[in-house]
Amino acid sequence: MNLSDFDFDLPEDLIALRPLKPRPSSRLLVSQNIKIEDSHFANISDYLKPGDRLILNNTKVIPARLNGRRRRVSDQGETFANVEITLMSCDTNGDWLSLAKPARRLKVGEDIHFEEGLIANVISKGADGVGLSFNKSGDEFDAVIASIGIMPLPPYIAAKRAADAQDHDDYQTVFAKELGAVAAPTASLHFDQDLMDRLSAQGVAFSEVTLHVGAGTFLPVKTDDISAHKMHSEWGVVSEQAARDILETKLNGGRVIAVGTTALRLIETASRETGQIQAWTGDTDIFIKPGFEFCVTDGLITNFHLPKSTLLMLVSALIGMDRMREIYEHAIDKKYRFFSYGDGSLLLP
């Protein structure tokens, strides 16, 4: 399939720059059978049944954007220059792969100084980014980042406004627990605790999994033949308890509905080996595109995605290309709000 198959024209005024309040007041497009219905997220219980199970990604976004200064000493004296760092992923040694602006002026071996005594040493430079080793680690590092970091808003929002204090709340799910993501699982932003309590009382169950969403989720597809695209890798875990509960839901005839493309990618990764969900931990670079055979997913709650994105390809794999185009034409015509802070959809193939 070609990249152009996943292109569409989106009016710029439909890109949401702030979320609606309260969280469930966003709109909800529901696709089931041959119908498309317009509703609100607060009414999602009308479309869920006792025995259904929602899969939540409990990753927690770190404020991964840091403003620092590099210092150089020469015969002419000291010189300083501002550097913007966006943390992307941490390896087993505690070193971070990052994006830097400007990256080309950085030299391997030099230090970048941040507030509160945080210092990063440049240990590598490459096509994937800049490698950094910090002078703080563990809880001390997390505390400093929480204090001085800025929420790494998606590029299509950051290009229109700067992140602010409100984003520290808006760009975090109410059930975020496991620190490590540099982008939010945005379909989950529509839930608040009251809505989750109502769904639980209705007999809808929840399972939490963890996939640390990386900045690679925003990377564009650059190959016209989409099968040639290489997906970014993200670390995730499905616990034994979550796997058992999901399997039990399937055996009892309930529906397993992923809240967000990240949760869906993870549970399908954990089902690849045997065709049934099982406990799993590791890095996944699964690329879900039309023709993919789903093992466990019965439905998806998701926002409206960018043209030509791998997320739109995932949606097309689940509901079909023609249905995807029909839904997106409807959403644009009805002026749904798009992307991370936008409205949601419930897709039931």
Side-chain angles (χ1 to χ4, degrees):
M1 304 190 76
N2 294 325
L3 188 58
S4 58
D5 295 328
F6 301 92
D7 196 12
F8 62 90
D9 293 323
L10 179 69
E12 194 168 321
D13 62 350
L14 296 186
I15 299 174
L17 300 182
R18 297 278 186 186
L20 298 180
K21 298 293 183 70
R23 291 175 182 242
S25 62
S26 57
R27 296 171 70 192
L28 178 70
L29 181 151
V30 181
S31 170
Q32 58 180 339
N33 302 320
I34 61 171
K35 296 172 59 179
I36 295 178
E37 297 182 51
D38 300 308
S39 186
H40 285 86
F41 210 91
N43 301 326
I44 195 170
S45 57
D46 294 344
Y47 306 95
L48 300 176
K49 306 171 185 177
D52 286 344
R53 181 172 296 275
L54 301 186
I55 312 303
L56 309 176
N57 184 2
N58 66 8
T59 189
K60 189 171 185 177
V61 182
I62 62 175
R65 189 157 292 153
L66 308 172
N67 292 317
R69 303 179 81 199
R70 61 171 175 79
R71 169 182 171 270
R72 288 181 184 165
V73 180
S74 66
D75 293 340
Q76 287 72 41
E78 290 184 321
T79 59
F80 297 88
N82 294 331
V83 182
E84 180 186 276
I85 295 294
T86 301
L87 303 175
M88 293 198 297
S89 60
C90 184
D91 65 18
T92 54
N93 297 320
D95 297 329
W96 282 86
L97 182 67
S98 70
L99 298 175
K101 292 182 182 179
R104 62 186 179 84
R105 295 186 179 275
L106 291 177
K107 296 180 179 180
V108 173
E110 73 176 334
D111 290 337
I112 304 171
H113 295 256
F114 305 93
E115 295 177 9
E116 298 193 12
L118 184 67
I119 302 172
N121 181 257
V122 180
I123 57 175
S124 65
K125 285 182 67 176
D128 291 338
V130 176
L132 299 175
S133 178
F134 286 90
N135 66 330
K136 300 178 187 293
S137 60
D139 292 342
E140 186 181 17
F141 176 81
D142 292 342
V144 172
I145 295 299
S147 174
I148 70 173
I150 301 166
M151 274 299 187
L153 293 181
Y156 42 80
I157 296 177
K160 295 178 180 295
R161 69 167 180 85
D164 56 29
Q166 187 61 45
D167 292 303
H168 281 260
D169 178 65
D170 289 345
Y171 202 57
Q172 200 80 268
T173 70
V174 296
F175 44 79
K177 295 184 180 70
E178 303 296 334
L179 199 65
V182 298
T186 54
S188 300
L189 298 178
H190 301 290
F191 288 85
D192 63 11
Q193 193 58 53
D194 286 344
L195 176 58
M196 295 177 70
D197 291 343
R198 280 200 291 115
L199 291 173
S200 292
Q202 181 182 327
V204 175
F206 298 92
S207 286
E208 294 186 6
V209 298
T210 304
L211 186 73
H212 288 325
V213 192
T217 192
F218 302 120
L219 293 177
V221 178
K222 296 181 178 179
T223 58
D224 188 51
D225 179 0
I226 67 168
S227 62
H229 175 70
K230 178 173 172 37
M231 285 290 290
H232 58 283
S233 181
E234 295 168 324
W235 183 89
V237 57
V238 176
S239 68
E240 291 187 5
Q241 183 66 55
R244 282 197 301 268
D245 290 343
I246 292 169
L247 182 58
E248 183 178 353
T249 295
K250 300 289 285 187
L251 292 173
N252 290 337
R255 296 177 299 181
V256 173
I257 299 172
V259 180
T261 57
T262 59
L264 186 152
R265 291 180 68 235
L266 183 56
I267 61 176
E268 290 298 330
T269 297
S271 307
R272 289 297 94 190
E273 187 174 325
T274 64
Q276 285 190 331
I277 188 77
Q278 58 186 348
W280 186 89
T281 301
D283 292 306
T284 178
D285 60 358
I286 190 171
F287 185 8
I288 299 178
K289 57 185 183 295
F292 183 88
E293 293 187 10
F294 292 86
C295 294
V296 63
T297 304
D298 298 306
L300 172 66
I301 296 170
T302 190
N303 286 12
F304 297 96
H305 303 294
L306 284 103
K308 299 182 179 180
S309 64
T310 58
L311 305 182
L312 191 59
M313 295 169 194
L314 182 153
V315 168
S316 302
L318 183 68
I319 62 175
M321 291 288 293
D322 291 341
R323 187 63 163 171
M324 179 273 290
R325 293 189 185 102
E326 184 182 2
I327 287 170
Y328 272 67
E329 287 174 5
H330 180 93
I332 292 170
D333 180 63
K334 297 297 183 180
K335 298 191 180 304
Y336 277 76
R337 301 163 75 248
F338 272 63
F339 305 158
S340 294
Y341 277 157
D343 296 316
S345 65
L346 171 60
L347 309 177
L348 299 170

